[in-house]
Amino acid sequence: MARRLRFNGTGSGVNGCPSIHEDVDSGEVIVHGPPLTDPADIAQLRHLGEGEVPVVVPRELLVDFGPTEVGRVPDIIDLDEFDHLFTRFEHTAWRLETRRRYASDEATDTYRQFMRGEPVDWEGVDAAWCAERREQTALGKRFERVRVIDTPATPGQRYLLDNARRNSEVGETIYSLHRADADRLGLPEEDFWIFDSRLVALLHFDDDNLINVELIREPAAVLRYAMARDAAMHYAVPYEDVAAQLAAEE
């Protein structure tokens, strides 16, 4: 079975070599770079086993993207503390949504309206949440989301395309990204928020219910999520484009 490898980063700029990857299951680190080939250099190496290939990488690559701990104790917060993050950040909050359904959506009256084929009346829905978003955006803060869409889109994803109208009205900017593009880009199959490009809130689910949130502050780890954000934003399109496309196919 193939390993599940996560790209940690590269120190080479645009050409992608040398780089560091990490096995997300075993924690093993894979480093690739130009091979060390001079026999005089190789002769100085100790314990170079048969089949092993020495490679040369910049020190900065290991410092910036290599794991700094053998094991990390997750910093888990509850959902109330998570809510406070949306008023404490300074300038940007960005989310990637990758799941095909969310149990919290399916428990709402608006979801049932949508599934019956009725126009959803978003006025007055989650009034406190809407008021908070408006207050924060009035302070100059930005909220953005990229939502991954399957082909065909699931009922939950279609519902969120309709829900995006409400999000937009309170100041959020919503984009869509096709699953094929997300897979091609190697985006993490995780839901997360990035706050001010320095704090990641990784969302943990159980049977499509959000149960808690893990805070990630390690700069190299935050950078990996920021790189995923930049790739997603490059290929994402305004949600209205995908909504119009799906409507035309009906």
Side-chain angles (χ1 to χ4, degrees):
M1 180 180 297
R3 292 174 181 262
R4 294 195 302 142
L5 299 182
R6 179 182 65 203
F7 174 65
N8 279 14
T10 177
S12 64
V14 296
N15 62 19
C17 178
S19 300
I20 287 182
H21 292 73
E22 189 170 346
D23 187 317
V24 298
D25 298 311
S26 69
E28 292 176 306
V29 177
I30 294 89
V31 180
H32 66 82
L36 185 70
T37 57
D38 189 312
D41 294 335
I42 294 176
Q44 301 177 58
L45 300 178
R46 299 185 182 184
H47 309 297
L48 183 66
E50 183 178 355
E52 294 181 343
V53 178
V55 299
V56 181
V57 299
R59 178 182 295 270
E60 292 81 3
L61 179 71
L62 302 179
V63 172
D64 292 339
F65 301 109
T68 58
E69 301 172 329
V70 175
R72 187 176 65 84
V73 178
D75 182 5
I76 303 296
I77 61 174
D78 61 27
L79 300 186
D80 287 338
E81 189 172 353
F82 174 54
D83 285 341
H84 293 322
L85 297 179
F86 293 93
T87 55
R88 293 174 179 168
F89 77 100
E90 296 180 7
H91 47 79
T92 56
W94 186 93
R95 178 172 177 177
L96 179 67
E97 298 183 15
T98 67
R99 301 181 69 84
R100 292 170 173 84
R101 61 184 290 265
Y102 296 88
S104 58
D105 290 339
E106 296 173 4
T108 63
D109 290 336
T110 53
Y111 187 86
R112 288 184 283 271
Q113 290 174 13
F114 179 81
M115 293 304 294
R116 291 194 298 265
E118 302 172 1
V120 178
D121 181 10
W122 293 106
E123 290 296 326
V125 176
D126 290 334
W129 181 90
C130 292
E132 181 181 279
R133 281 294 192 271
R134 290 191 177 99
E135 290 172 359
Q136 294 301 307
T137 55
L139 296 173
K141 300 181 183 181
R142 296 204 327 266
F143 293 86
E144 297 176 326
R145 303 178 192 240
V146 170
R147 289 171 167 161
V148 175
I149 304 290
D150 285 276
T151 303
T154 68
Q157 291 167 351
R158 287 177 174 268
Y159 168 77
L160 286 175
L161 281 173
D162 196 85
N163 168 272
R165 294 187 291 117
R166 187 273 305 263
N167 290 60
S168 297
E169 289 173 357
V170 300
E172 291 196 350
T173 305
I174 313 297
Y175 301 89
S176 295
L177 180 70
H178 290 290
R179 178 79 62 183
D181 289 327
D183 292 343
R184 176 174 56 82
L185 295 169
L187 298 186
E189 295 183 5
E190 299 171 320
D191 279 34
F192 60 89
W193 283 93
I194 303 178
F195 295 96
D196 297 333
S197 296
R198 64 169 179 257
L199 174 67
V200 172
L202 180 61
L203 310 187
H204 292 170
F205 291 84
D206 181 13
D207 294 330
D208 298 302
N209 287 290
L210 178 61
I211 54 174
N212 59 41
V213 176
E214 178 181 352
L215 298 184
I216 299 174
R217 299 182 178 86
E218 183 185 6
V222 172
L223 178 59
R224 288 197 297 270
Y225 286 101
M227 292 166 63
R229 174 196 61 197
D230 292 349
M233 288 294 289
H234 184 75
Y235 290 96
V237 298
Y239 81 91
E240 296 95 337
D241 294 357
V242 174
Q245 177 185 350
L246 295 180
E249 294 172 354
E250 293 179 350

